[in-house]
Amino acid sequence: ERFWLLVGAILLAAFGCCFLVCVVCGYKHVKEAIDVIDAAADFTVENKRVIIVPMVYFVFTLISFLLWLYAFACVVSLNKVTAAASTIPQDRDIHWTSGWTACALGMFFGILWIMAWWNYTSQFVVMAAATTYYFNCTEESEYEGQAELCYSVKLAHVYHTGSIAAGAFIIAVIEFIKFVFLYLAKKAEKASGGNKCIKAVVCVAECCLSCIEKVCDYINQSAFAYIAVTGDGFCEGAWKGFLLNVKHMLSFTFANYIAKIFILLGKVCICVVNGFTLVFILKDVSGLAD
């Protein structure tokens, strides 16, 4: 046990040294990343109402899904339904026809598109609000600017709905292909009797699809951030946002990882404080009980 603790300590020390070297070598980029994080914190403090945006769009997503679920159940009921020969009471077999199968697949793709659209709309509203906050802050003003949340909602639902829908369509296509592939892969695994080669191929293909989805999602977010600033279309925003990320890759990487480290430290501190608080409360309670 001591040996593995020593190995863990050595690995952590090596990781810390590597991180220290990166910080020293990229001091300029670290300073820029800290400035970005500081600006983001100021934006959140001055515009707390932006926090409700994801909550509101989560409600819209939930309502859309429930309506879709009711409509999907109606489509399922249009097929031939017979009593199943099983021991489960009220069990039924659904005999799908080609027409209703295509309709169900279309509805499945539709809900993926709608949910991705709501998600990207929520992100775009926050990005546009941050943009208005930045342009409303001037050096001559003694006070911080305010984010124009209603105008940001108007941008998302009036001027850039097509751009957001285009990005959501790309993600929906990838997710649809991923789900269909996983369904066919499970059937192939079952037919092959759990063949190891089939499982390996399925895992590699699933990993590739997940990577493509992550890359497209990152490009979409970069495009929406660029659109929120310039007002360009989706294709132009995606291309220029990609070039901007390539040009400032090191700065963006440092900002991203430093933010994650701060968030991790915050989570650890919260857990530690809650843990010690619980211990002290239990000691007091046990002392009173005695």
Side-chain angles (χ1 to χ4, degrees):
E1 184 178 353
R2 291 182 177 179
F3 173 76
W4 291 113
L5 289 175
L6 179 61
V7 172
I10 294 173
L11 292 176
L12 288 175
F15 175 78
C17 292
C18 293
F19 183 76
L20 179 62
V21 171
C22 292
V23 170
V24 172
C25 295
Y27 171 76
K28 177 182 176 182
H29 300 290
V30 173
K31 186 177 182 300
E32 293 175 353
I34 294 175
D35 291 338
V36 171
I37 296 172
D38 181 60
D42 291 340
F43 165 72
T44 306
V45 170
E46 295 294 332
N47 303 276
K48 297 181 180 65
R49 63 186 183 278
V50 177
I51 300 175
I52 69 172
V53 172
M55 302 178 187
V56 172
Y57 281 98
F58 172 76
V59 173
F60 290 160
T61 304
L62 184 61
I63 294 173
S64 300
F65 179 76
L66 293 176
L67 292 175
W68 174 87
L69 196 62
Y70 173 76
F72 188 79
C74 294
V75 171
V76 172
S77 66
L78 294 174
N79 295 280
K80 184 179 179 181
V81 182
T82 58
S86 64
T87 58
I88 302 176
Q90 301 298 325
D91 191 15
R92 296 290 185 271
D93 287 331
I94 301 174
H95 304 278
W96 287 88
T97 60
S98 58
W100 294 122
T101 301
C103 181
L105 289 175
M107 291 185 65
F108 180 65
F109 174 77
I111 192 60
L112 292 177
W113 192 0
I114 291 172
M115 293 179 70
W117 183 75
W118 282 125
N119 180 36
Y120 281 139
T121 302
S122 173
Q123 295 181 25
F124 183 84
V125 169
V126 176
M127 292 176 183
T131 302
T132 58
Y133 167 77
Y134 172 78
F135 286 111
N136 288 336
C137 293
T138 59
E139 296 181 357
E140 294 80 10
S141 177
E142 297 180 358
Y143 303 98
E144 295 285 346
Q146 290 294 320
E148 300 178 18
L149 193 58
C150 294
Y151 179 70
S152 302
V153 173
K154 181 180 179 181
L155 287 176
H157 290 280
V158 177
Y159 296 109
H160 297 293
T161 306
S163 297
I164 299 173
F169 177 80
I170 295 173
I171 294 298
V173 169
I174 297 173
E175 290 181 345
F176 182 79
I177 294 173
K178 185 178 178 180
F179 278 111
V180 172
F181 172 79
L182 290 177
Y183 173 75
L184 296 177
K186 294 298 181 182
K187 293 188 68 175
E189 285 184 21
K190 187 176 180 181
S192 64
N195 187 279
K196 301 297 182 182
C197 293
I198 298 295
K199 288 185 177 180
V201 171
V202 170
C203 290
V204 171
E206 183 181 357
C207 181
C208 292
L209 288 173
S210 298
C211 290
I212 293 173
E213 182 182 358
K214 293 291 184 182
V215 171
C216 291
D217 181 61
Y218 184 78
I219 293 175
N220 284 342
Q221 291 182 4
S222 301
F224 296 144
Y226 197 90
I227 291 170
V229 176
T230 63
D232 294 333
F234 176 76
C235 294
E236 187 175 1
W239 175 245
K240 291 184 178 179
F242 172 76
L243 294 179
L244 190 65
N245 274 273
V246 172
K247 182 178 179 181
H248 301 283
M249 184 181 298
L250 191 58
S251 300
F252 292 164
T253 303
F254 267 113
N256 188 24
Y257 280 102
I258 289 177
K260 288 182 178 180
I261 290 172
F262 284 149
I263 292 172
L264 177 62
L265 291 175
K267 291 179 179 179
V268 171
C269 291
I270 291 173
C271 293
V272 171
V273 171
N274 287 337
F276 277 106
T277 304
L278 180 61
V279 170
F280 287 125
I281 291 174
L282 290 176
K283 284 184 178 181
D284 292 338
V285 171
S286 62
L288 292 175
D290 293 339

